[in-house]
Amino acid sequence: MMETKDISVLQDLGAGLTGILSPVSICMGLTVVLVRLLNPDGKSGSAALRFASIAYSEDPTDSDSTKLEGAFLNALIYVGIVTVMTFAIVLLFKCGCQRIVWAWMAIGVFDIFFAITGLIGIEVLQALDIHVDVYSFCFMLFNFAVVGVIGVLFVPIPLLLKQGYLVWVGVISAYIFTWIPEWTAWMIICAMALYDIAAVLLPGGPLKLLLDEAMKREEALPGLLYEARPTRGPYQGADAWARRTISSAEPRG
C-alpha cells in the first residue's frame, strides 16, 4: 500500500494552484506562438466570421454603439445554438440514447484532433517552410486523432498524455477566437461565461439536468474535462483526492 507523507496546508494549496495554473499558462503561451506565427496582423478569418457573425458582420467604420449591439446579437444567437444543442443531449440521455451521445462526442473530438489540427498544422508547416509528404502527414495526424479520441473519451491513458490533449483543445479554441472580430469575440466570451453559470446553477439549467440524470443513473458522461490531480508524488493516481482527504482527516501525532 502506498504510504503518504504529511503535507502542510501551503504545500497542498501550492500543488492545487500549480495543477490549475500550469495548463492555463501553457495554453496561453502556445496560443501566443500560433498567433505570432500565423496571424501577426490580427486579421479576422472568413471561416471564423461565418459561425460568429451570423447577425452582424463587424466593420471598422461602425460606431461603438453599433458594434456593441451587433456583437450582442451575435453572442445571443451563439448561446442560443449552444443551449439548443445541450438540451438535445439532455433529451437523448433521458431517452436512453447514450450511444448517440457518445458517438456525437467522438465525432466532434475526432474533428478537432484531425481536421482542425490538420489545417493548423499545414499553416505552421507553410509558415516555417517545412516540407512533409501528404501520406506521412495524414498518417501521423490520423494516429494522433485516434489516440486522442480513444484516450480522452473511452480508454484510460497516462494522465499526462490526456492532459496534453485537453490543453491542445484549449489552444485550438483560443486560437480560433483570435480570428473573430474583437467586439464579437469578447461578447461571446462574456455570454458563454454567464451561460455556464446559469446552466449549472439554475434548477432548469441544461447542464444541471444532465448531471442530475447522470448521477441518478450512476453513469458516466462524455466530455472534455481537464483533470488537475497530480501525476507524480504520494497523491498520484485516480483516487488521489480521496486519499488526500483521508490523510488530512487522520489525527497527527
Side-chain angles (χ1 to χ4, degrees):
M1 186 176 180
M2 185 180 294
E3 295 181 359
T4 58
K5 299 179 181 179
D6 291 343
I7 297 180
S8 66
V9 175
L10 289 179
Q11 288 175 316
D12 192 43
L13 180 60
L17 289 175
T18 301
I20 296 173
L21 294 178
S22 295
V24 173
S25 301
I26 294 173
C27 180
M28 293 174 62
L30 290 176
T31 304
V32 170
V33 170
L34 282 179
V35 171
R36 295 288 295 175
L37 184 64
L38 304 180
N39 189 24
D41 299 328
K43 297 179 180 178
S44 298
S46 57
L49 280 173
R50 277 196 293 271
F51 87 89
S53 302
I54 300 175
Y56 167 72
S57 183
E58 189 173 315
D59 193 302
T61 60
D62 292 340
S63 63
D64 289 348
S65 60
T66 302
K67 291 179 181 179
L68 181 62
E69 293 174 4
F72 179 77
L73 284 176
N74 288 335
L76 198 63
I77 295 174
Y78 185 89
V79 172
I81 293 173
V82 173
T83 303
V84 171
M85 294 178 66
T86 308
F87 273 112
I89 294 177
V90 174
L91 182 62
L92 289 172
F93 198 79
K94 280 183 172 292
C95 295
C97 302
Q98 290 89 335
R99 291 186 178 181
I100 297 178
V101 177
W102 283 93
W104 186 352
M105 287 296 300
I107 293 172
V109 174
F110 184 83
D111 181 60
I112 293 173
F113 290 145
F114 185 80
I116 301 178
T117 299
L119 292 174
I120 294 177
I122 291 173
E123 292 185 5
V124 170
L125 292 175
Q126 292 175 342
L128 298 177
D129 196 23
I130 298 176
H131 302 277
V132 179
D133 65 276
V134 64
Y135 301 106
S136 298
F137 181 77
C138 289
F139 176 78
M140 291 185 292
L141 190 62
F142 181 77
N143 280 274
F144 174 79
V146 170
V147 172
V149 172
I150 294 175
V152 170
L153 295 178
F154 300 106
V155 179
I157 59 175
L159 179 59
L160 197 60
L161 180 60
K162 183 178 181 179
Q163 289 175 337
Y165 271 105
L166 294 175
V167 167
W168 178 242
V169 173
V171 172
I172 291 178
S173 302
Y175 176 68
I176 290 176
F177 266 83
T178 64
W179 286 90
I180 300 175
E182 183 178 4
W183 284 78
T184 298
W186 281 110
M187 188 61 71
I188 289 178
I189 291 173
C190 294
M192 284 303 301
L194 295 174
Y195 165 78
D196 286 339
I197 295 173
V200 174
L201 298 181
L202 292 181
L207 293 179
K208 181 174 176 56
L209 293 175
L210 190 61
L211 292 173
D212 289 344
E213 187 68 22
M215 287 188 291
K216 184 189 303 181
R217 298 185 182 183
E218 297 183 352
E219 295 182 8
L221 285 172
L224 302 177
L225 303 176
Y226 185 89
E227 297 183 56
R229 56 185 168 88
T231 58
R232 59 173 61 183
Y235 289 123
Q236 61 179 319
D239 59 343
W241 300 117
R243 287 187 286 108
R244 176 178 294 187
T245 303
I246 294 173
S247 176
S248 62
E250 291 177 351
R252 306 291 174 86

